[in-house]
C-alpha cells in the first residue's frame, strides 16, 4: 500500500484530499483573509476617536486615565492569545473563531452609546477577547493551510489584511467624526464588521486535517517524553530558547510602540493644532503602510531569512519616533513622515517575527508557542499605554516619544544578539 505524499492525504469518508500550500487552499485562505479584514476593522474603530472621547466627551484630565482603555484591551488580548494556544488542544480552531465573534457583538454599540468611561473600558475587555481569539485563529489557520514553505508569505497576507482594515477604518472614522461628531456614527460601522466576520467564520472549514498532515510528515518527530504543554512551551518561548526569547521581546516592544502611538499621537498632534481629519490621516497611514508592506516583506522573509528584517525594522521604527519630534514645528509633516517610518518598520518586523517563531516551534507545540509569543507581543499594548500615561503625566508627551525611540533601538540590538535563522525545533 502506498503512503500519501508529503503534501496530500485523505481525511474523511468522502476521501476529499487535504493538501498543504497556498494555491491548493486558495479558497479557504481567501475567506480567512476577508475574516481578518473584519477583525482589523473592529479594532480600527478606536484608533482616532476614543482617546479624544476620553478627554473631550468624558472630561478626563489624566493621560493615564485616558489610556486605560488601551491597557484593558492589551492585557485582555495578551492573556486571550496565551489561552488560545492551549484551547486549540480542546476545541477546533473554527469553534474558537466563531466564539471570538460572538463576544465582539456588543463592542460597537458600547463605544457608540457608553454613558460613562467605565463602559468604554469594559467594551475594550470584550474587544481584547474578540481580537485574541479571532486574530489568533486566522493566523494559526493560515499557517496550517500553507505548510512550512510559505509561512512568511501567509503571515504577511494575514497581517496585511488586518492592518489595512485598521488603518482604513481609522481614516474613515476621523472623517466621520469631523462631519458627525465623535459619537455615535463613527463607531457604528463596526456593526458591519461584526456581522460579516461572524457570517464568514461560520462558512470557513476547520484546519485540523492540515495540522495532522504536517505532523505526519514532519522531518523531526517530537522527542519521546518531550512536554508540549502550555507551561513548558511558555518557558521555552519566553526565555529558554534564545531565538524565541529574542522574538518575544521584539514583539513586545513593537506593540508597545503601537499602544503608545495609539494614545499619544492623537493628543500630541491636536495639541499642535491639527484637526480630527489630519489626525485620522496620520493614524490611518501608519497601519495601512504596515499592512501593505507585509506582503513583500513576508515574501522577503522566506527568501533572505527573518533576522535582517526584524533587526532593521526595529531600527527604522526608532527613527520614526525621532522624526516625529524633530519636525514637530510642522506637525502634519512630522506626523506623516513618522507614520511612514513606523509603518514600514513594523511591516518589516511583523511577519518575520511570526514566521521566526513558527520556524523554531515543532508543529506539536507551535500553537502554544505562537500563543506565548502573541501574549508577549500584545502585552506591549498595555505596556505602551502604561508607560505613555506615566511619562506623559510626569514629563510630557515629547519625553514619552523620545523614550519609545530609545526602547525600540535597544530591542533591535537585542534581536540582533539573540535571534538566529536556523530552526532548532
Amino acid at each position: 500500500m502506498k503512503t500519501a505524499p508529503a503534501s496530500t492525504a485523505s481525511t474523511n469518508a468522502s476521501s476529499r484530499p487535504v493538501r498543504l500550500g497556498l494555491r491548493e487552499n486558495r479558497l479557504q485562505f481567501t475567506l480567512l483573509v476577508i475574516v481578518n479584514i473584519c477583525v482589523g476593522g473592529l479594532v480600527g474603530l478606536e484608533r482616532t476617536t476614543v482617546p479624544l472621547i476620553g478627554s473631550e466627551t468624558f472630561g478626563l484630565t489624566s493621560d493615564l486615565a485616558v489610556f486605560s482603555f488601551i491597557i484593558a484591551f492589551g492585557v485582555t488580548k495578551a492573556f486571550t492569545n496565551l489561552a488560545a494556544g492551549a484551547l486549540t488542544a480542546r476545541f477546533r480552531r473554527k469553534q474558537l473563531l466563531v466564539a471570538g465573534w460572538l463576544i465582539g457583538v456588543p463592542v460597537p454599540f458600547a463605544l457608540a452609546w457608553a454613558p460613562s468611561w467605565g463602559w468604554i473600558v469594559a467594551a475594550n475587555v470584550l474587544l481584547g477577547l474578540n481580537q485574541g481569539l479571532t486574530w489568533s485563529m486566522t493566523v494559526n489557520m493560515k499557517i496550517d493551510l500553507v505548510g512550512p514553505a510559505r509561512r512568511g508569505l501567509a503571515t504577511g497576507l494575514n497581517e496585511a489584511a488586518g492592518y489595512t482594515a485598521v488603518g482604513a477604518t481609522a481614516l474613515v472614522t476621523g472623517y466621520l467624526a469631523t462631519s458627525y461628531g465623535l459619537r455615535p456614527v463613527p463607531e457604528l460601522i463596526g456593526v458591519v464588521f461584526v456581522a460579516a466576520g461572524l457570517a464568514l467564520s461560520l462558512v470557513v472549514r476547520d484546519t485540523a486535517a492540515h495540522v495532522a498532515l504536517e505532523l505526519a510528515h514532519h522531518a523531526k518527530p517530537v522527542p519521546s517524553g518531550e512536554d508540549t504543554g502550555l507551561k513548558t512551551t511558555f518557558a521555552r518561548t519566553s526565555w529558554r530558547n534564545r531565538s524565541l526569547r529574542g522574538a518575544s521581546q521584539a514583539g513586545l516592544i513593537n506593540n508597545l510602540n503601537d499602544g503608545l502611538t495609539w494614545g499619544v499621537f492623537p493628543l500630541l498632534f491636536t495639541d499642535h493644532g491639527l484637526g480630527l481629519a489630519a489626525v485620522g490621516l496620520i493614524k490611518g497611514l501608519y497601519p495601512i503602510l504596515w499592512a501593505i508592506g507585509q506582503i513583500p516583506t513576508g515574501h522577503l522573509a522566506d527568501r533572505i531569512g527573518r533576522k535582517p528584517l526584524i533587526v532593521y525594522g526595529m531600527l527604522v521604527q526608532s527613527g520614526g519616533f525621532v522624526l516625529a519630534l524633530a519636525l514637530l514645528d510642522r506637525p502634519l509633516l512630522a506626523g506623516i513622515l513618522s507614520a511612514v517610518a513606523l509603518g514600514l518598520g513594523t511591516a518589516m518586523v511583523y511577519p518575520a517575527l511570526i514566521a521566526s517563531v513558527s520556524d523554531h516551534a515543532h508543529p506539536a507545540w507551535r500553537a502554544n508557542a505562537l500563543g506565548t509569543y502573541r501574549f508577549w507581543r500584545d502585552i506591549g499594548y498595555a505596556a505602551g499605554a502604561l508607560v505613555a500615561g506615566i511619562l506623559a503625566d510626569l514629563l510630557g508627551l515629547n519625553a514619552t516619544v523620545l523614550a519609545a525611540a530609545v526602547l525600540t533601538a535597544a530591542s533591535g540590538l537585542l534581536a540582533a544578539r539573540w535571534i538566529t535563522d536556523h530552526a532548532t525545533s
Side-chain angles (χ1 to χ4, degrees), residues 243-259:
S243 286
L244 293 176
R245 179 173 73 230
S248 294
Q249 67 81 27
L252 187 152
I253 298 300
N254 182 86
N255 277 24
L256 179 146
N257 293 344
D258 192 20

Side-chain angles (χ1 to χ4, degrees), residues 271-310:
D271 284 351
H272 284 77
L274 295 187
L276 283 171
V279 171
L281 173 63
I282 294 167
K283 290 303 299 173
L285 188 60
Y286 169 23
I288 286 173
L289 289 173
W290 166 359
I292 295 172
Q294 287 182 89
I295 299 175
T297 60
H299 181 64
L300 192 60
D302 289 331
R303 295 178 63 86
I304 69 170
R306 326 303 192 191
K307 183 174 179 176
L309 291 166
I310 294 167

Side-chain angles (χ1 to χ4, degrees), residues 55-351:
S55 60
E56 297 182 14
T57 303
F58 293 111
L60 300 179
T61 56
S62 166
D63 289 324
L64 184 58
V66 172
F67 302 159
S68 60
F69 82 97
I70 306 173
I71 297 173
F73 168 80
V75 170
T76 306
K77 185 170 187 280
F79 279 98
T80 306
N81 288 338
L82 188 61
L87 288 171
T88 58
R90 300 186 61 183
F91 302 96
R92 291 185 178 271
R93 284 147 163 72
K94 178 176 177 175
Q95 293 173 318
L96 296 172
L97 181 62
V98 171
W101 279 115
L102 292 173
I103 291 169
V105 168
V107 170
F109 302 101
L111 295 176
W113 288 297
S116 69
W117 185 246
W119 282 70
I120 299 288
V121 175
N124 274 271
V125 172
L126 295 178
L127 183 62
L129 290 167
N130 160 268
Q131 295 287 302
L133 288 174
T134 55
W135 210 308
S136 291
M137 290 309 107
T138 58
V139 169
N140 277 290
M141 292 172 82
K142 286 189 181 73
I143 289 174
D144 296 342
L145 290 172
V146 303
R150 291 291 181 266
R151 285 177 186 147
L153 178 59
T155 54
L157 290 168
N158 185 76
E159 304 302 289
Y163 283 101
T164 296
V166 172
T169 308
L171 186 61
V172 169
T173 55
Y175 281 99
L176 288 175
T178 300
S179 300
Y180 301 102
L182 291 171
R183 298 197 301 170
V185 173
E187 292 76 22
L188 289 180
I189 59 175
V191 176
V192 177
F193 295 128
V194 171
L198 179 57
L200 290 171
S201 296
L202 291 169
V203 172
V204 73
R205 291 201 301 266
D206 192 70
T207 57
H210 297 80
V211 178
L213 176 60
E214 185 180 351
L215 273 170
H217 297 283
H218 196 267
K220 185 177 179 182
V222 179
S224 179
E226 180 173 277
D227 189 351
T228 62
L230 177 59
K231 183 177 179 180
T232 299
T233 303
F234 184 87
R236 185 187 291 129
T237 307
S238 300
W239 60 81
R240 289 180 184 170
N241 182 294
R242 283 172 60 92
S243 286
L244 293 176
R245 179 173 73 230
S248 294
Q249 67 81 27
L252 187 152
I253 298 300
N254 182 86
N255 277 24
L256 179 146
N257 293 344
D258 192 20
L260 184 145
T261 59
W262 188 348
V264 168
F265 274 20
L267 302 180
L268 177 68
F269 290 115
T270 53
D271 284 351
H272 284 77
L274 295 187
L276 283 171
V279 171
L281 173 63
I282 294 167
K283 290 303 299 173
L285 188 60
Y286 169 23
I288 286 173
L289 289 173
W290 166 359
I292 295 172
Q294 287 182 89
I295 299 175
T297 60
H299 181 64
L300 192 60
D302 289 331
R303 295 178 63 86
I304 69 170
R306 326 303 192 191
K307 183 174 179 176
L309 291 166
I310 294 167
V311 173
Y312 290 112
M314 296 304 289
L315 297 178
V316 170
Q317 288 182 59
S318 179
F321 286 116
V322 173
L323 285 172
L325 292 179
L327 301 171
L328 201 51
D329 57 335
R330 301 172 66 185
L332 183 58
L333 179 63
I336 289 174
L337 291 181
S338 177
V340 168
L342 287 166
L344 294 178
T346 307
M348 295 168 68
V349 165
Y350 231 67

